Structures are given as structure tokens and as C-alpha cells.
Amino acid sequence: MEDHKIIELFWLRDEDAIHQSSQKYGRYCKSIALRILANAESSDECVNDTWLKAWNAIPPQHPSILRTFFGAITRNLSLNRVRDLSCEKRGGGQVVLVLDELTECMPNRSSPESILEDREITASIERWLETLAKEKRVVFICRYWHCDRVSDIASRMGWTESKTNSLLQRLRVSLKNHLELEGIL
Amino acid sequence: MMKQDRLAHCIGHIDGKYIEEAESYQKTNKRIWRVWGSVVACLCLLVVGAYTAFHPSPLDEAGNRILQWSPQFSAEDYFQYSDGENGGPLDFFSIAEAHYPYTESRSFSHKRQQLEAEKVLPVMAEHPLFDCTVNYLADGSLYSLTFSWHNQEQEYSDLRITAGYQEVEMMEDCVVFVDEDENGHRIAPAVTVTKRDGVNIVAEGSENTKKTITFQNSSGWYQIEGSWNDRYADMVDLLDWFWAHPIDFDRFPVEAGEVITDL
């Protein structure tokens, strides 16, 4: 079923929307959850929760890219699960490593966390992504959105792990500088 | 929320186009690959070669593998065997993202209006973002050029055409990606080949995936690429345009382009 029809089902509050979403994007979402959780059962739970979240989000939302909309929900649910269950061992510690790396870019701060602030941060990150060459942007997304292993990214890009780590390090510094420049930090 | 969770959370809400870009991105030298001969004349031949390797007879028993174009041919017809049901997906080979032996690139993006007025390019009002990059060999001759049109607003679109007229040299690196099943056997790629005016047009991809149309005619070789969100009709509109308006590569001398500064 085409995406716009699935979205229409959500808007019509037709529960077939969930069935169609699961059929079309279930495997995709599960692959995202598995990368983060490395646990089939937990991944299935996150994917099932994804449809519920989507059900509550559409309407009013009208995603322009349904696949990544679902993917983002699954990713965030999976990250939350890692945190809530404190299951650092899951995912081979990959998620913990990813989160630790991101700490370099955004040290703790005391200002209130609001949805508005988060949107500003997201918008700032997008502006920074636009300044990057495509290859670097892809590496950043693979690591910090998909939580891919550095070795997997290196393999995909045809680089050494050392080169990939070096690039990631420079990207983190660059992001931190950008966030400082925009007054986020 | 922990501090690092917060940034991870914000990254999780970035625009889906970046995720799409990362997922569809691929280098030329990854996954399982096969070298198709030591030197292959051009990419179009390469793609058709890939097809014929899996289908030794251009007309199979069903007699419908190579489609015959007609004026009634629809955009969907070009892709009718490309949906994966007739074989595994071919891992897309993008000329534009391949590493070729050109030594210099220049931008002609600033000439969009002029190129449209001179009917070199179609007018694509729904694509406000445009880029034209031309690549040159060490002797200054044009090697390939890429026109790309983007719309990153609500109706995301990323259309691109890469073209050239010289033989694609140094094809040692030119590989075709094929999928293998768990027993190591190749899975035939899902492509549609259409013969139009004696020229084979190879189409790959389907709805909600990246799509390509590749062909070579007397004016040169061409590869049209569309994103997951571009329609078959968008792709075929470009095909029809460049079929009727073959690129005059002499319009793009190196001295007329703007120097590209590396980001």
C-alpha cells in the first residue's frame, strides 16, 4: 500500500493502518531496534510500541517520509529501553559508547529542558549537517542515528576503523563548535 | 533525561531526508562484487551486460524480458520487471557517486536559467534547488556532467542525471553489485530492459526505493536517478526530455565553469 494511503487510514482512525504499517515497515523498524537492543524480543516490543506511538501521533502529524518517521519512533523507543533497563550489555555496549561520545558535544547544563529547546537543538543540528559533505553526513547519521558499529561504518565506506574513528572525532568537535556558535551550549 | 540522552533524542528527530540519504548511500567498492571484464566500454553496456549475464537470451521463454517501446508506453511500463518479484534487487550503481579518473570539477549551477531558456534543461519549477557539476579529465576534456534537482520541502524530491560521451576509462574499478543467496549463488537482478529506437533502456528500482534509468544513444551515455519519493513519471519525463534534447557537451568548456570550493 502506498504511504499516503496508510497515512489516510491513520487519519480515518482505521486500525488497518497499523496492519499495513507493520506489513510494509515492520522489518525495517525491527532492524533499527535490533541494532540498538541486540535482542529480538525487546526489539519486537519496541516495534509494536512504534505503531501505538504512530497511532497517537497521526493525526495531527502528517509525516512527509513515513518510513523514517516510523524509524525515528523505533529508534527513540529503543534508546529509551536501553536507558530504562540499564542494559548496557545489550547491543555490545554500542549504544552506551554512542551516548558517551555525544557527551563531548553537549555537556550538562542546568537550563530547563523543554520541547521548544529540543526543537531548536534539532534545527541547529540540521543546519550543521547541511554544511557537511555528503559522505561525512552519512557517517554521522550511521553512527549517531542508527548506532552502527564503527567497524561496520568503516566496512561500508571502504575505510579503516582508524580513519573512521578519526573522522567521527572531528565531526564531534565540529558539532560542538557549531552548537557553541549558535548559542546552544 | 541524561545529558547525552538529550542530544541523542534531538538527533532522533532530525529530518527524515538525512536518514534516507544515509540509507541509500553507497560507495562503489562495497558488498559482493564482480568485475565485468577488464575494460568495459561504458556503463550502459555494463548494466546491459549485467542483465544479459543473468538472461543469456534477450528474449526469454516468456518472450517479454526486453520490452518494445511504443508511443503508448507508460512510465510504469519502464519499471514493470523492476519490482524485485522477478529476482533480487540489483545494488544500484550510481555513476555520479563513483570515483572516476577526472581531475577537475567545475560548477555551472549559476547558469540554470540560461540553460532552461536554451532548452538544454527542462524547466522544473517544483524543484527550487539545482546543481550542475561538470568533471574534466587531465587533458581538459569533459568526462561527465551531473544535473540535479532537489525539493526538500513537503514533497521531497531528488532527481539527478549524469551523462558523458567519452568511453568510461579505467574500468578496473567498475564493478557491479549483485546479491547472493545463502548458498553463494547469484540472485538475478530485477531490471526492466526496454528497446526504444534501437536503444536498450535499463530501469531499476520501484515505488518507495531509489530508481535509475540508464541508456546509451548516439549522443552519449545517460543515467537518471530518482529518490524513493520520486515517481516513475518524474523519471520518464527526464528520459523523454533528454531523448528529445541530447546534451551538447561542448556547451560546458572548463573555462566557463565556476571553481568548486571544497566544503
PDB file of all heavy atoms in Angstrom, chain B residues 217-248:
ATOM      1  N   ASN B 217      22.815   6.338 -26.171  1.00  0.00           N
ATOM      2  CA  ASN B 217      22.408   6.508 -27.565  1.00  0.00           C
ATOM      3  C   ASN B 217      23.542   7.196 -28.320  1.00  0.00           C
ATOM      4  O   ASN B 217      24.665   7.293 -27.808  1.00  0.00           O
ATOM      5  CB  ASN B 217      21.079   7.272 -27.667  1.00  0.00           C
ATOM      6  CG  ASN B 217      21.159   8.655 -27.051  1.00  0.00           C
ATOM      7  OD1 ASN B 217      22.252   9.203 -26.884  1.00  0.00           O
ATOM      8  ND2 ASN B 217      20.023   9.215 -26.702  1.00  0.00           N
ATOM      9  N   SER B 218      23.254   7.683 -29.495  1.00  0.00           N
ATOM     10  CA  SER B 218      24.341   8.214 -30.322  1.00  0.00           C
ATOM     11  C   SER B 218      24.969   9.464 -29.723  1.00  0.00           C
ATOM     12  O   SER B 218      26.092   9.830 -30.070  1.00  0.00           O
ATOM     13  CB  SER B 218      23.803   8.530 -31.721  1.00  0.00           C
ATOM     14  OG  SER B 218      22.728   9.444 -31.614  1.00  0.00           O
ATOM     15  N   SER B 219      24.275  10.136 -28.821  1.00  0.00           N
ATOM     16  CA  SER B 219      24.829  11.372 -28.259  1.00  0.00           C
ATOM     17  C   SER B 219      25.702  11.134 -27.036  1.00  0.00           C
ATOM     18  O   SER B 219      26.516  11.987 -26.677  1.00  0.00           O
ATOM     19  CB  SER B 219      23.692  12.324 -27.891  1.00  0.00           C
ATOM     20  OG  SER B 219      22.935  11.809 -26.815  1.00  0.00           O
ATOM     21  N   GLY B 220      25.542   9.991 -26.388  1.00  0.00           N
ATOM     22  CA  GLY B 220      26.337   9.729 -25.197  1.00  0.00           C
ATOM     23  C   GLY B 220      25.629   8.748 -24.276  1.00  0.00           C
ATOM     24  O   GLY B 220      24.635   8.126 -24.647  1.00  0.00           O
ATOM     25  N   TRP B 221      26.183   8.614 -23.068  1.00  0.00           N
ATOM     26  CA  TRP B 221      25.517   7.736 -22.106  1.00  0.00           C
ATOM     27  C   TRP B 221      24.859   8.596 -21.016  1.00  0.00           C
ATOM     28  O   TRP B 221      25.346   9.677 -20.675  1.00  0.00           O
ATOM     29  CB  TRP B 221      26.487   6.707 -21.515  1.00  0.00           C
ATOM     30  CG  TRP B 221      27.796   7.259 -21.020  1.00  0.00           C
ATOM     31  CD1 TRP B 221      28.997   7.259 -21.676  1.00  0.00           C
ATOM     32  CD2 TRP B 221      28.049   7.900 -19.753  1.00  0.00           C
ATOM     33  NE1 TRP B 221      29.976   7.854 -20.918  1.00  0.00           N
ATOM     34  CE2 TRP B 221      29.416   8.246 -19.729  1.00  0.00           C
ATOM     35  CE3 TRP B 221      27.268   8.207 -18.657  1.00  0.00           C
ATOM     36  CZ2 TRP B 221      30.017   8.881 -18.637  1.00  0.00           C
ATOM     37  CZ3 TRP B 221      27.856   8.846 -17.563  1.00  0.00           C
ATOM     38  CH2 TRP B 221      29.213   9.159 -17.573  1.00  0.00           C
ATOM     39  N   TYR B 222      23.800   8.072 -20.484  1.00  0.00           N
ATOM     40  CA  TYR B 222      22.993   8.836 -19.530  1.00  0.00           C
ATOM     41  C   TYR B 222      22.535   7.925 -18.395  1.00  0.00           C
ATOM     42  O   TYR B 222      22.185   6.763 -18.627  1.00  0.00           O
ATOM     43  CB  TYR B 222      21.725   9.399 -20.193  1.00  0.00           C
ATOM     44  CG  TYR B 222      21.975  10.384 -21.306  1.00  0.00           C
ATOM     45  CD1 TYR B 222      22.361   9.940 -22.567  1.00  0.00           C
ATOM     46  CD2 TYR B 222      21.800  11.741 -21.107  1.00  0.00           C
ATOM     47  CE1 TYR B 222      22.586  10.840 -23.607  1.00  0.00           C
ATOM     48  CE2 TYR B 222      22.010  12.653 -22.139  1.00  0.00           C
ATOM     49  CZ  TYR B 222      22.404  12.190 -23.389  1.00  0.00           C
ATOM     50  OH  TYR B 222      22.617  13.082 -24.409  1.00  0.00           O
ATOM     51  N   GLN B 223      22.520   8.452 -17.206  1.00  0.00           N
ATOM     52  CA  GLN B 223      21.894   7.737 -16.101  1.00  0.00           C
ATOM     53  C   GLN B 223      21.035   8.724 -15.304  1.00  0.00           C
ATOM     54  O   GLN B 223      21.533   9.728 -14.799  1.00  0.00           O
ATOM     55  CB  GLN B 223      22.906   7.091 -15.152  1.00  0.00           C
ATOM     56  CG  GLN B 223      22.213   6.239 -14.087  1.00  0.00           C
ATOM     57  CD  GLN B 223      23.184   5.551 -13.135  1.00  0.00           C
ATOM     58  OE1 GLN B 223      23.940   6.194 -12.423  1.00  0.00           O
ATOM     59  NE2 GLN B 223      23.153   4.234 -13.132  1.00  0.00           N
ATOM     60  N   ILE B 224      19.766   8.398 -15.219  1.00  0.00           N
ATOM     61  CA  ILE B 224      18.821   9.220 -14.453  1.00  0.00           C
ATOM     62  C   ILE B 224      18.584   8.526 -13.120  1.00  0.00           C
ATOM     63  O   ILE B 224      18.368   7.310 -13.079  1.00  0.00           O
ATOM     64  CB  ILE B 224      17.483   9.362 -15.212  1.00  0.00           C
ATOM     65  CG1 ILE B 224      17.724  10.019 -16.573  1.00  0.00           C
ATOM     66  CG2 ILE B 224      16.472  10.150 -14.393  1.00  0.00           C
ATOM     67  CD1 ILE B 224      16.565   9.852 -17.539  1.00  0.00           C
ATOM     68  N   GLU B 225      18.649   9.290 -12.051  1.00  0.00           N
ATOM     69  CA  GLU B 225      18.404   8.717 -10.725  1.00  0.00           C
ATOM     70  C   GLU B 225      17.265   9.468 -10.044  1.00  0.00           C
ATOM     71  O   GLU B 225      17.171  10.700 -10.156  1.00  0.00           O
ATOM     72  CB  GLU B 225      19.657   8.821  -9.851  1.00  0.00           C
ATOM     73  CG  GLU B 225      20.833   8.020 -10.378  1.00  0.00           C
ATOM     74  CD  GLU B 225      22.087   8.259  -9.562  1.00  0.00           C
ATOM     75  OE1 GLU B 225      22.154   7.776  -8.419  1.00  0.00           O
ATOM     76  OE2 GLU B 225      22.984   8.946 -10.060  1.00  0.00           O
ATOM     77  N   GLY B 226      16.453   8.728  -9.343  1.00  0.00           N
ATOM     78  CA  GLY B 226      15.375   9.347  -8.582  1.00  0.00           C
ATOM     79  C   GLY B 226      15.345   8.785  -7.179  1.00  0.00           C
ATOM     80  O   GLY B 226      15.742   7.639  -6.949  1.00  0.00           O
ATOM     81  N   SER B 227      14.886   9.577  -6.250  1.00  0.00           N
ATOM     82  CA  SER B 227      14.826   9.129  -4.862  1.00  0.00           C
ATOM     83  C   SER B 227      13.627   8.205  -4.661  1.00  0.00           C
ATOM     84  O   SER B 227      12.807   8.017  -5.559  1.00  0.00           O
ATOM     85  CB  SER B 227      14.698  10.328  -3.923  1.00  0.00           C
ATOM     86  OG  SER B 227      13.384  10.861  -4.017  1.00  0.00           O
ATOM     87  N   TRP B 228      13.508   7.681  -3.474  1.00  0.00           N
ATOM     88  CA  TRP B 228      12.370   6.839  -3.109  1.00  0.00           C
ATOM     89  C   TRP B 228      11.036   7.556  -3.312  1.00  0.00           C
ATOM     90  O   TRP B 228      10.022   6.939  -3.543  1.00  0.00           O
ATOM     91  CB  TRP B 228      12.498   6.428  -1.641  1.00  0.00           C
ATOM     92  CG  TRP B 228      12.492   7.627  -0.749  1.00  0.00           C
ATOM     93  CD1 TRP B 228      13.568   8.391  -0.405  1.00  0.00           C
ATOM     94  CD2 TRP B 228      11.352   8.248  -0.146  1.00  0.00           C
ATOM     95  NE1 TRP B 228      13.166   9.448   0.374  1.00  0.00           N
ATOM     96  CE2 TRP B 228      11.818   9.380   0.566  1.00  0.00           C
ATOM     97  CE3 TRP B 228       9.995   7.948  -0.118  1.00  0.00           C
ATOM     98  CZ2 TRP B 228      10.976  10.206   1.276  1.00  0.00           C
ATOM     99  CZ3 TRP B 228       9.153   8.788   0.602  1.00  0.00           C
ATOM    100  CH2 TRP B 228       9.653   9.894   1.283  1.00  0.00           C
ATOM    101  N   ASN B 229      11.083   8.894  -3.228  1.00  0.00           N
ATOM    102  CA  ASN B 229       9.827   9.643  -3.278  1.00  0.00           C
ATOM    103  C   ASN B 229       9.507  10.170  -4.673  1.00  0.00           C
ATOM    104  O   ASN B 229       8.479  10.800  -4.875  1.00  0.00           O
ATOM    105  CB  ASN B 229       9.890  10.808  -2.285  1.00  0.00           C
ATOM    106  CG  ASN B 229       8.518  11.305  -1.886  1.00  0.00           C
ATOM    107  OD1 ASN B 229       7.604  10.500  -1.724  1.00  0.00           O
ATOM    108  ND2 ASN B 229       8.364  12.608  -1.758  1.00  0.00           N
ATOM    109  N   ASP B 230      10.408   9.946  -5.614  1.00  0.00           N
ATOM    110  CA  ASP B 230      10.140  10.406  -6.975  1.00  0.00           C
ATOM    111  C   ASP B 230       9.339   9.354  -7.720  1.00  0.00           C
ATOM    112  O   ASP B 230       9.564   8.160  -7.578  1.00  0.00           O
ATOM    113  CB  ASP B 230      11.460  10.715  -7.686  1.00  0.00           C
ATOM    114  CG  ASP B 230      12.089  11.986  -7.160  1.00  0.00           C
ATOM    115  OD1 ASP B 230      11.413  13.029  -7.193  1.00  0.00           O
ATOM    116  OD2 ASP B 230      13.236  11.933  -6.684  1.00  0.00           O
ATOM    117  N   ARG B 231       8.437   9.839  -8.526  1.00  0.00           N
ATOM    118  CA  ARG B 231       7.541   8.928  -9.235  1.00  0.00           C
ATOM    119  C   ARG B 231       8.189   8.431 -10.513  1.00  0.00           C
ATOM    120  O   ARG B 231       9.104   9.055 -11.050  1.00  0.00           O
ATOM    121  CB  ARG B 231       6.232   9.651  -9.573  1.00  0.00           C
ATOM    122  CG  ARG B 231       5.461  10.138  -8.351  1.00  0.00           C
ATOM    123  CD  ARG B 231       4.323  11.037  -8.781  1.00  0.00           C
ATOM    124  NE  ARG B 231       4.843  12.177  -9.551  1.00  0.00           N
ATOM    125  CZ  ARG B 231       4.162  12.788 -10.510  1.00  0.00           C
ATOM    126  NH1 ARG B 231       2.962  12.380 -10.832  1.00  0.00           N
ATOM    127  NH2 ARG B 231       4.688  13.802 -11.149  1.00  0.00           N
ATOM    128  N   TYR B 232       7.683   7.312 -11.000  1.00  0.00           N
ATOM    129  CA  TYR B 232       8.162   6.809 -12.283  1.00  0.00           C
ATOM    130  C   TYR B 232       8.026   7.904 -13.349  1.00  0.00           C
ATOM    131  O   TYR B 232       8.902   8.088 -14.195  1.00  0.00           O
ATOM    132  CB  TYR B 232       7.344   5.594 -12.724  1.00  0.00           C
ATOM    133  CG  TYR B 232       7.508   4.364 -11.879  1.00  0.00           C
ATOM    134  CD1 TYR B 232       6.426   3.510 -11.640  1.00  0.00           C
ATOM    135  CD2 TYR B 232       8.737   4.022 -11.328  1.00  0.00           C
ATOM    136  CE1 TYR B 232       6.562   2.359 -10.889  1.00  0.00           C
ATOM    137  CE2 TYR B 232       8.885   2.876 -10.566  1.00  0.00           C
ATOM    138  CZ  TYR B 232       7.791   2.045 -10.347  1.00  0.00           C
ATOM    139  OH  TYR B 232       7.927   0.913  -9.600  1.00  0.00           O
ATOM    140  N   ALA B 233       6.906   8.600 -13.293  1.00  0.00           N
ATOM    141  CA  ALA B 233       6.640   9.621 -14.314  1.00  0.00           C
ATOM    142  C   ALA B 233       7.693  10.727 -14.281  1.00  0.00           C
ATOM    143  O   ALA B 233       8.069  11.266 -15.327  1.00  0.00           O
ATOM    144  CB  ALA B 233       5.243  10.214 -14.100  1.00  0.00           C
ATOM    145  N   ASP B 234       8.184  11.071 -13.072  1.00  0.00           N
ATOM    146  CA  ASP B 234       9.221  12.101 -12.967  1.00  0.00           C
ATOM    147  C   ASP B 234      10.478  11.645 -13.702  1.00  0.00           C
ATOM    148  O   ASP B 234      11.158  12.426 -14.373  1.00  0.00           O
ATOM    149  CB  ASP B 234       9.570  12.367 -11.495  1.00  0.00           C
ATOM    150  CG  ASP B 234       8.370  12.868 -10.707  1.00  0.00           C
ATOM    151  OD1 ASP B 234       7.537  13.569 -11.298  1.00  0.00           O
ATOM    152  OD2 ASP B 234       8.275  12.547  -9.503  1.00  0.00           O
ATOM    153  N   MET B 235      10.793  10.378 -13.519  1.00  0.00           N
ATOM    154  CA  MET B 235      11.993   9.814 -14.157  1.00  0.00           C
ATOM    155  C   MET B 235      11.829   9.801 -15.679  1.00  0.00           C
ATOM    156  O   MET B 235      12.738  10.171 -16.424  1.00  0.00           O
ATOM    157  CB  MET B 235      12.207   8.377 -13.680  1.00  0.00           C
ATOM    158  CG  MET B 235      12.259   8.195 -12.178  1.00  0.00           C
ATOM    159  SD  MET B 235      13.871   8.499 -11.525  1.00  0.00           S
ATOM    160  CE  MET B 235      14.794   7.159 -12.231  1.00  0.00           C
ATOM    161  N   VAL B 236      10.673   9.361 -16.103  1.00  0.00           N
ATOM    162  CA  VAL B 236      10.463   9.201 -17.549  1.00  0.00           C
ATOM    163  C   VAL B 236      10.314  10.559 -18.230  1.00  0.00           C
ATOM    164  O   VAL B 236      10.695  10.713 -19.389  1.00  0.00           O
ATOM    165  CB  VAL B 236       9.257   8.275 -17.811  1.00  0.00           C
ATOM    166  CG1 VAL B 236       8.919   8.224 -19.290  1.00  0.00           C
ATOM    167  CG2 VAL B 236       9.574   6.877 -17.297  1.00  0.00           C
ATOM    168  N   ASP B 237       9.824  11.559 -17.509  1.00  0.00           N
ATOM    169  CA  ASP B 237       9.797  12.915 -18.063  1.00  0.00           C
ATOM    170  C   ASP B 237      11.218  13.358 -18.417  1.00  0.00           C
ATOM    171  O   ASP B 237      11.463  13.955 -19.468  1.00  0.00           O
ATOM    172  CB  ASP B 237       9.182  13.903 -17.058  1.00  0.00           C
ATOM    173  CG  ASP B 237       7.660  13.809 -17.036  1.00  0.00           C
ATOM    174  OD1 ASP B 237       7.103  13.139 -17.928  1.00  0.00           O
ATOM    175  OD2 ASP B 237       7.050  14.383 -16.123  1.00  0.00           O
ATOM    176  N   LEU B 238      12.153  13.064 -17.509  1.00  0.00           N
ATOM    177  CA  LEU B 238      13.545  13.424 -17.783  1.00  0.00           C
ATOM    178  C   LEU B 238      14.102  12.605 -18.951  1.00  0.00           C
ATOM    179  O   LEU B 238      14.825  13.127 -19.802  1.00  0.00           O
ATOM    180  CB  LEU B 238      14.411  13.189 -16.536  1.00  0.00           C
ATOM    181  CG  LEU B 238      14.404  14.291 -15.477  1.00  0.00           C
ATOM    182  CD1 LEU B 238      15.274  13.898 -14.292  1.00  0.00           C
ATOM    183  CD2 LEU B 238      14.908  15.609 -16.066  1.00  0.00           C
ATOM    184  N   LEU B 239      13.759  11.320 -18.952  1.00  0.00           N
ATOM    185  CA  LEU B 239      14.200  10.466 -20.063  1.00  0.00           C
ATOM    186  C   LEU B 239      13.715  11.049 -21.390  1.00  0.00           C
ATOM    187  O   LEU B 239      14.496  11.210 -22.347  1.00  0.00           O
ATOM    188  CB  LEU B 239      13.658   9.042 -19.863  1.00  0.00           C
ATOM    189  CG  LEU B 239      13.736   8.106 -21.061  1.00  0.00           C
ATOM    190  CD1 LEU B 239      15.188   7.796 -21.407  1.00  0.00           C
ATOM    191  CD2 LEU B 239      12.981   6.798 -20.782  1.00  0.00           C
ATOM    192  N   ASP B 240      12.433  11.380 -21.449  1.00  0.00           N
ATOM    193  CA  ASP B 240      11.863  11.893 -22.696  1.00  0.00           C
ATOM    194  C   ASP B 240      12.525  13.210 -23.096  1.00  0.00           C
ATOM    195  O   ASP B 240      12.759  13.479 -24.276  1.00  0.00           O
ATOM    196  CB  ASP B 240      10.345  12.088 -22.548  1.00  0.00           C
ATOM    197  CG  ASP B 240       9.607  10.758 -22.508  1.00  0.00           C
ATOM    198  OD1 ASP B 240      10.188   9.744 -22.928  1.00  0.00           O
ATOM    199  OD2 ASP B 240       8.455  10.729 -22.033  1.00  0.00           O
ATOM    200  N   TRP B 241      12.802  14.040 -22.072  1.00  0.00           N
ATOM    201  CA  TRP B 241      13.411  15.329 -22.377  1.00  0.00           C
ATOM    202  C   TRP B 241      14.787  15.124 -23.029  1.00  0.00           C
ATOM    203  O   TRP B 241      15.076  15.704 -24.091  1.00  0.00           O
ATOM    204  CB  TRP B 241      13.557  16.185 -21.114  1.00  0.00           C
ATOM    205  CG  TRP B 241      14.315  17.453 -21.390  1.00  0.00           C
ATOM    206  CD1 TRP B 241      15.677  17.639 -21.348  1.00  0.00           C
ATOM    207  CD2 TRP B 241      13.777  18.698 -21.840  1.00  0.00           C
ATOM    208  NE1 TRP B 241      16.019  18.901 -21.719  1.00  0.00           N
ATOM    209  CE2 TRP B 241      14.865  19.588 -22.028  1.00  0.00           C
ATOM    210  CE3 TRP B 241      12.481  19.151 -22.083  1.00  0.00           C
ATOM    211  CZ2 TRP B 241      14.687  20.903 -22.459  1.00  0.00           C
ATOM    212  CZ3 TRP B 241      12.313  20.462 -22.509  1.00  0.00           C
ATOM    213  CH2 TRP B 241      13.410  21.326 -22.692  1.00  0.00           C
ATOM    214  N   PHE B 242      15.619  14.320 -22.395  1.00  0.00           N
ATOM    215  CA  PHE B 242      16.984  14.179 -22.921  1.00  0.00           C
ATOM    216  C   PHE B 242      17.030  13.274 -24.155  1.00  0.00           C
ATOM    217  O   PHE B 242      18.006  13.271 -24.878  1.00  0.00           O
ATOM    218  CB  PHE B 242      17.928  13.686 -21.812  1.00  0.00           C
ATOM    219  CG  PHE B 242      18.222  14.765 -20.817  1.00  0.00           C
ATOM    220  CD1 PHE B 242      17.575  14.795 -19.589  1.00  0.00           C
ATOM    221  CD2 PHE B 242      19.105  15.783 -21.121  1.00  0.00           C
ATOM    222  CE1 PHE B 242      17.810  15.806 -18.683  1.00  0.00           C
ATOM    223  CE2 PHE B 242      19.346  16.812 -20.223  1.00  0.00           C
ATOM    224  CZ  PHE B 242      18.698  16.819 -19.002  1.00  0.00           C
ATOM    225  N   TRP B 243      15.973  12.522 -24.355  1.00  0.00           N
ATOM    226  CA  TRP B 243      15.848  11.764 -25.598  1.00  0.00           C
ATOM    227  C   TRP B 243      15.632  12.760 -26.756  1.00  0.00           C
ATOM    228  O   TRP B 243      16.211  12.627 -27.824  1.00  0.00           O
ATOM    229  CB  TRP B 243      14.660  10.806 -25.499  1.00  0.00           C
ATOM    230  CG  TRP B 243      14.742   9.652 -26.436  1.00  0.00           C
ATOM    231  CD1 TRP B 243      14.225   9.567 -27.690  1.00  0.00           C
ATOM    232  CD2 TRP B 243      15.384   8.393 -26.189  1.00  0.00           C
ATOM    233  NE1 TRP B 243      14.510   8.338 -28.248  1.00  0.00           N
ATOM    234  CE2 TRP B 243      15.219   7.601 -27.334  1.00  0.00           C
ATOM    235  CE3 TRP B 243      16.087   7.872 -25.100  1.00  0.00           C
ATOM    236  CZ2 TRP B 243      15.716   6.306 -27.442  1.00  0.00           C
ATOM    237  CZ3 TRP B 243      16.587   6.589 -25.198  1.00  0.00           C
ATOM    238  CH2 TRP B 243      16.405   5.819 -26.359  1.00  0.00           C
ATOM    239  N   ALA B 244      14.781  13.758 -26.467  1.00  0.00           N
ATOM    240  CA  ALA B 244      14.469  14.754 -27.496  1.00  0.00           C
ATOM    241  C   ALA B 244      15.512  15.875 -27.553  1.00  0.00           C
ATOM    242  O   ALA B 244      15.654  16.540 -28.576  1.00  0.00           O
ATOM    243  CB  ALA B 244      13.087  15.353 -27.230  1.00  0.00           C
ATOM    244  N   HIS B 245      16.201  16.094 -26.425  1.00  0.00           N
ATOM    245  CA  HIS B 245      17.192  17.175 -26.357  1.00  0.00           C
ATOM    246  C   HIS B 245      18.529  16.608 -25.896  1.00  0.00           C
ATOM    247  O   HIS B 245      18.936  16.833 -24.751  1.00  0.00           O
ATOM    248  CB  HIS B 245      16.743  18.268 -25.381  1.00  0.00           C
ATOM    249  CG  HIS B 245      15.410  18.858 -25.683  1.00  0.00           C
ATOM    250  ND1 HIS B 245      14.221  18.279 -25.255  1.00  0.00           N
ATOM    251  CD2 HIS B 245      15.055  19.959 -26.390  1.00  0.00           C
ATOM    252  CE1 HIS B 245      13.211  19.023 -25.672  1.00  0.00           C
ATOM    253  NE2 HIS B 245      13.678  20.029 -26.366  1.00  0.00           N
ATOM    254  N   PRO B 246      19.225  15.881 -26.763  1.00  0.00           N
ATOM    255  CA  PRO B 246      20.507  15.320 -26.344  1.00  0.00           C
ATOM    256  C   PRO B 246      21.478  16.423 -25.920  1.00  0.00           C
ATOM    257  O   PRO B 246      21.437  17.535 -26.459  1.00  0.00           O
ATOM    258  CB  PRO B 246      21.003  14.580 -27.590  1.00  0.00           C
ATOM    259  CG  PRO B 246      20.074  14.910 -28.694  1.00  0.00           C
ATOM    260  CD  PRO B 246      18.859  15.536 -28.127  1.00  0.00           C
ATOM    261  N   ILE B 247      22.279  16.108 -24.945  1.00  0.00           N
ATOM    262  CA  ILE B 247      23.159  17.137 -24.387  1.00  0.00           C
ATOM    263  C   ILE B 247      24.282  17.467 -25.375  1.00  0.00           C
ATOM    264  O   ILE B 247      24.940  16.573 -25.913  1.00  0.00           O
ATOM    265  CB  ILE B 247      23.757  16.661 -23.049  1.00  0.00           C
ATOM    266  CG1 ILE B 247      22.639  16.474 -22.029  1.00  0.00           C
ATOM    267  CG2 ILE B 247      24.800  17.651 -22.534  1.00  0.00           C
ATOM    268  CD1 ILE B 247      23.087  15.825 -20.734  1.00  0.00           C
ATOM    269  N   ASP B 248      24.469  18.756 -25.589  1.00  0.00           N
ATOM    270  CA  ASP B 248      25.615  19.211 -26.367  1.00  0.00           C
ATOM    271  C   ASP B 248      26.742  19.482 -25.369  1.00  0.00           C
ATOM    272  O   ASP B 248      26.778  20.522 -24.713  1.00  0.00           O
ATOM    273  CB  ASP B 248      25.235  20.493 -27.125  1.00  0.00           C
ATOM    274  CG  ASP B 248      26.424  21.057 -27.895  1.00  0.00           C
ATOM    275  OD1 ASP B 248      27.506  20.427 -27.874  1.00  0.00           O
ATOM    276  OD2 ASP B 248      26.274  22.125 -28.508  1.00  0.00           O
TER     277      ASP B 248
END
